[in-house]
Structures are given as C-alpha cells and as structure tokens.
C-alpha cells in the first residue's frame, strides 16, 4: 500500500507570534518617528529600520520556502519556514544577526542563507531557479513599497525623520536585491544559474559556496568597488524618487550612537 503524501497542516502555516512581535515593534517605532513622539528620534529610527529590515529578511526567506512548497518540497512546513519565525531558520546567525551587523557597520543590506530546501524533491531547472530568485524578488517588492511614497509625491508634511528612515530602508532593500542577484556561490543569484550549469562545473564551484557571502562583503570594503556599487544603487534610488540626501540622512539618523551631521535637519 502506497504511503500517502504528507501535506503541511494549518498550524505549520500559522504566522508566528515572534514575527508578529517584530512587526509590532516596527509599527510602534514607525508611529513614534512619524508623530515625533519619541524622546530620541534617532533611536526610534534605529529601532524602526532594524525591525523593518528583519521583517524583510523573514519575507525573503518565506518567499524561498513558499516557492519551494509549490515546487515540490513539502517538508518546509514541518521545518517551520512558513510561519515567518526567524528562530526556525537553519542558521539564525547568518540569517538575522550578521545581516543586522552588516547594516550597522556599512549600511549594506545583505541577507544570509537560512532555509534548507530539499532540492531532491524538486524536479525541473526552472523550478530551482525560481525558488532561488523568489527571495531577492521579495526585496524588490519591499523596495517598491518603501519608495512608493517618494514616487507618488505623498510625503508632503511628513516629518523629515520618517522620510529619511524610509530612504535608508529603501537603500537597504535595493542593495539586498542587487547583491543577492549576483551569480556568486552562496548567494541567490548563483542559485538561479546553477541548475543550468554542467555537473562538473557545479562540483568545482561547490567548495567555494560557504565563502561567497563574506567575499562579497570584503570586496565592498574596497573603496573603488564600494564607490561604483553605491553610485549604481543611488542611481536606482533617484529613479524611484529617493534623493541622496534621503538615504544619507537616514543612515546618519540610524547611527544614533554617533554625532549627527548638521546637514540633516529634522522637522517638517
């Protein structure tokens, strides 16, 4: 008698209280920045952007897992990936802690690997590519949401602190999408092209996958590379209505522990 195929039950798809708590922090601190209610605007911006960034990381990994579920990997539900709970990820350090450290150190949105997909259950190269692309595409959608008030001219009368926070958050999403689409082993961009490579090439590249993320981060510390990269990022942001001042002052506010640049005035 054939064993029935297991389907994830409703509890495996229920949104985690941990994720809802992070969303609550994002909402409350965003409201505090919007209404200028916070005792320390810069600290409120830090909490708002950090919590929003973690929310986007959860959505990034959820997009991978959800696409994998429809692609044939029915184990993602039992692993807790469909609950949006970051504590369920394979590597919480790589998935949450390091990306937040990258933001604090360099203002770079660089998600790490998290959900473990049982690729052997998935058949078809296009499915494998789509699963890898789903995460960065979630960052693209998040970037569109962050920049919508800018290109819709809907920020008249909004406190500058909130505008700056959105500008910096948009920068993080754009950098995350671009970097993740790089065809570097260990990043999603390589996962998109990997199914189309020969078996021999994949075997040769496989040992380098654990170091791809760190290699990209190291390269971005080279001034010339960093300059070219951020010129490209800011060009995209300007196209979406986010000025260099918005993203720069957002980053300046985010770093509440440093002395604020007088150029970044607050108010309405």
């Amino acid at each position: 008698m054939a064993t029935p195929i297991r389907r994830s039950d409703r509890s495996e798809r229920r949104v985690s209280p941990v994720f809802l708590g992070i969303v609550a922090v994002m909402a409350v601190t965003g409201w505090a920045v919007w209404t200028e209610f916070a005792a320390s605007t810069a600290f409120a911006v830090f909490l708002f952007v950090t919590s929003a960034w973690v929310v986007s990381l959860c959505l990034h990994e959820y997009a991978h897992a959800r696409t994998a579920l429809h692609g044939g990997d029915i184990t993602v539900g039992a692993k807790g990936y469909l609950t949006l709970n970051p504590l369920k990820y394979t590597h919480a350090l790589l998935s949450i802690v390091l990306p937040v450290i990258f933001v604090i150190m360099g203002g770079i949105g660089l998600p790490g690997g998290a959900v473990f997909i049982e690729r052997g259950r998935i058949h078809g190269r296009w499915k494998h590519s789509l699963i890898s692309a789903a995460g960065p595409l979630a960052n693209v959608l998040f970037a569109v949401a962050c920049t919508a008030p800018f290109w819709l001219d809907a920020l008249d009368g909004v406190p500058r602190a909130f505008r700056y926070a959105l500008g910096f958050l948009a920068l993080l999403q754009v950098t995350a999408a671009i970097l993740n689409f790089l065809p570097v082993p260990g990043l999603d961009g390589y996962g998109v092209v990997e199914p189309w490579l020969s078996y021999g090439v994949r075997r040769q590249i496989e040992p380098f996958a654990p170091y791809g993320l760190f290699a990209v981060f190291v390269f971005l510390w080279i001034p010339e590379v960093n300059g070219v990269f951020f010129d490209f990022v800011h060009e995209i942001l300007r196209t979406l209505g986010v000025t260099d001042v918005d993203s720069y002052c957002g980053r300046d506010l985010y770093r509440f522990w440093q002395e604020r640049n007088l150029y970044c005035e607050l108010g309405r």
Side-chain angles (χ1 to χ4, degrees):
M1 181 177 177
T3 302
I5 297 176
R6 181 185 180 279
R7 299 292 180 183
S8 56
D9 58 38
R10 186 171 299 178
S11 65
E12 294 175 352
R13 302 170 186 240
R14 188 175 298 125
V15 178
S16 164
V18 175
F19 177 76
L20 293 177
I22 299 170
V23 172
V25 172
M26 180 185 71
V28 171
T29 54
W31 171 83
V33 176
W34 178 283
T35 60
E36 301 176 302
F37 180 78
S40 172
T41 300
F43 185 61
V45 167
F46 172 81
L47 292 178
F48 170 60
V49 173
T50 300
S51 56
W53 173 236
V54 175
V55 166
S56 74
L57 292 175
C58 294
L59 293 175
H60 176 106
E61 303 304 339
Y62 175 83
H64 284 310
R66 188 75 188 193
T67 310
L69 175 67
H70 292 292
D73 183 3
I74 61 174
T75 68
V76 293
K79 294 170 184 171
Y81 297 159
L82 302 179
T83 67
L84 292 157
N85 185 352
L87 301 180
K88 295 292 185 179
Y89 296 155
T90 307
H91 300 289
L93 175 65
L94 287 177
S95 305
I96 301 297
V97 179
L98 281 183
V100 172
I101 291 176
F102 289 155
V103 171
I104 293 173
M105 291 178 59
I108 299 172
L110 191 60
V115 296
F116 175 71
I117 306 299
E118 295 190 14
R119 295 281 182 170
R121 295 174 177 269
I122 299 163
H123 304 286
R125 289 183 293 185
W126 282 108
K127 289 182 180 179
H128 285 283
S129 294
L130 184 57
I131 290 168
S132 295
L137 288 175
N139 290 111
V140 171
L141 292 177
F142 208 103
V144 171
C146 291
T147 58
F150 293 91
W151 47 265
L152 289 175
D153 294 324
L155 289 172
D156 290 341
V158 173
R160 289 186 183 178
F162 189 81
R163 179 190 181 104
Y164 294 159
L166 275 186
F168 181 51
L169 187 56
L171 180 142
L172 295 180
Q173 299 304 320
V174 171
T175 58
I178 294 173
L179 292 173
N180 265 272
F181 270 127
L182 292 177
V184 175
L187 296 181
D188 293 325
Y190 176 72
V192 173
V193 302
E194 183 184 25
W196 307 91
L197 301 177
S198 68
Y199 176 76
V201 172
R202 294 202 303 269
R203 285 295 300 272
Q204 290 179 339
I205 295 177
E206 186 177 0
F208 300 99
Y211 311 105
L213 177 66
F214 296 99
V216 169
F217 190 65
V218 169
F219 269 105
L220 286 174
W221 279 100
I222 300 174
E224 293 79 9
V225 176
N226 187 279
V228 171
F229 173 73
F230 275 102
D231 283 346
F232 181 55
V233 170
H234 285 298
E235 187 62 36
I236 294 175
L237 289 173
R238 284 191 289 269
T239 302
L240 295 171
V242 182
T243 67
D244 294 358
V245 173
D246 293 324
S247 56
Y248 172 80
C249 289
R251 178 183 175 184
D252 185 66
L253 263 180
Y254 180 82
R255 297 184 168 189
F256 68 92
W257 58 90
Q258 296 181 346
E259 185 176 354
R260 185 180 306 165
N261 192 318
L262 296 178
Y263 181 77
C264 300
E265 297 179 358
L266 299 182
R268 295 179 181 270

